[in-house]
Amino acid sequence: MGFWDGLFPGRAAQFDSGSAASNSIDLTKRRPTVSLSKQGAATGNLRVNLSWRMRTSDIEGRSRQSGRLLRNPSKLFKPEVVQAHTQGVVNVDLDLGCMYELADGSKGVVQPLGSFFGSLNAPPYVNLSGDDRFGGSSGETIFVNLDHRDEIKRLLFFVYIYDQTPAFDRTHAKVTLYPSNGPRIEIELDERAPQARSCAVFTVERIKDELVVRREVKFVYGFQAELDRLYGWGLQWGRGYKTKA
């Protein structure tokens, strides 16, 4: 297992709705922001969930291989093995993290790497519930206690790959926000970035009197330190490992 970076101790626009307009909001490039305050969700616990599954060739793509499918039609419904450039099977471990800056100027990170799980009822009011290494249906979840929103200046939620294989383009990854009130908010990591290792997914900031979620979905080819530089967090980063499962 390779080494990774670890830490040493405008107004909200209109939005696109999902298929069930009353139940979900899709943040997109065209409509990247939503106000939690306007939907009465700036209090209570905000639940942020990362889920993913490996990408396989779809039926439309395989239909181009009509000759081989006619000879062996059962392959049409058999998922392909996802492989890296070395032809080894890719086992992608996506991690969800959050950089925080509080109103008193303190900064830090909540993430599985380094076991920085945070705290929900004490600073930083951000808590990681656990580390899912296999992309299960429950994924990974971070909670934010918005009852302490006045003590939170800004949050940056990000996803990174914990292994040596850049494989964002081989996964279907989605981050879903479950506010205390109103519809859930969904952000698909659907842009192809084959060599990227990290992605800034969204920010939460106070804009005037509103608490606003902004879609970012910016892929970078480095680790958390590169995301830090991109957003001007100013943390000191070093190499870190996870404990073995």
Side-chain angles (χ1 to χ4, degrees):
M1 185 173 289
F3 53 76
W4 285 81
D5 278 351
L7 179 67
F8 287 120
R11 293 186 59 85
Q14 294 179 338
F15 47 76
D16 291 339
S17 296
S19 57
S22 62
N23 296 324
S24 66
I25 297 168
D26 292 334
L27 293 189
T28 66
K29 281 184 176 180
R30 190 167 63 91
R31 295 289 185 264
T33 61
V34 62
S35 169
L36 294 178
S37 302
K38 285 185 175 179
Q39 65 183 48
T43 59
N45 290 337
L46 171 66
R47 178 162 62 97
V48 180
N49 177 260
L50 164 68
S51 60
W52 75 93
R53 61 184 174 85
M54 296 309 300
R55 186 187 301 272
T56 57
S57 296
D58 55 27
I59 292 178
E60 179 182 355
R62 291 188 187 190
S63 66
R64 300 190 186 101
Q65 306 176 27
S66 56
R68 282 192 296 170
L69 291 177
L70 287 174
R71 291 192 295 271
N72 194 347
S74 65
K75 288 186 176 180
L76 178 63
F77 303 101
K78 182 179 180 182
E80 290 182 349
V81 174
V82 180
Q83 295 183 326
H85 298 298
T86 60
Q87 300 306 306
V89 176
V90 175
N91 182 19
V92 178
D93 178 11
L94 297 184
D95 280 346
L96 177 65
C98 176
M99 294 184 205
Y100 61 83
E101 181 177 1
L102 302 184
D104 65 4
S106 58
K107 301 177 182 179
V109 68
V110 171
Q111 64 177 20
L113 185 58
S115 298
F116 292 99
F117 292 105
S119 177
L120 190 61
N121 296 310
Y125 309 108
V126 180
N127 176 243
L128 175 67
S129 64
D131 178 17
D132 174 14
R133 304 190 182 188
F134 306 104
S137 57
S138 60
E140 293 191 357
T141 300
I142 289 179
F143 293 91
V144 182
N145 187 345
L146 295 182
D147 289 338
H148 292 271
R149 62 190 179 280
D150 291 340
E151 298 175 62
I152 299 172
K153 181 177 181 180
R154 59 172 177 158
L155 305 173
L156 170 64
F157 283 83
F158 60 92
V159 174
Y160 61 95
I161 297 178
Y162 186 76
D163 65 19
Q164 294 185 346
T165 305
F168 271 112
D169 64 328
R170 303 295 186 95
T171 64
H172 288 286
K174 178 172 66 176
V175 173
T176 305
L177 290 71
Y178 297 90
S180 60
N181 185 56
R184 67 182 183 271
I185 302 164
E186 297 184 346
I187 304 173
E188 298 275 356
L189 306 189
D190 52 3
E191 298 176 23
R192 295 300 181 92
Q195 300 303 314
R197 294 183 182 274
S198 307
C199 178
V201 182
F202 71 94
T203 58
V204 179
E205 278 190 280
R206 294 189 65 86
I207 299 179
K208 295 185 178 179
D209 294 328
E210 294 184 34
L211 198 62
V212 175
V213 173
R214 174 178 292 277
R215 176 190 184 273
E216 298 291 332
V217 189
K218 294 181 180 177
F219 290 92
V220 300
Y221 301 102
F223 306 141
Q224 292 95 318
E226 188 169 343
L227 292 174
D228 183 309
R229 288 191 294 271
L230 184 63
Y231 287 88
W233 231 265
L235 300 177
Q236 291 184 334
W237 298 86
R239 294 173 180 174
Y241 296 86
K242 286 187 184 180
T243 56
K244 293 184 179 180

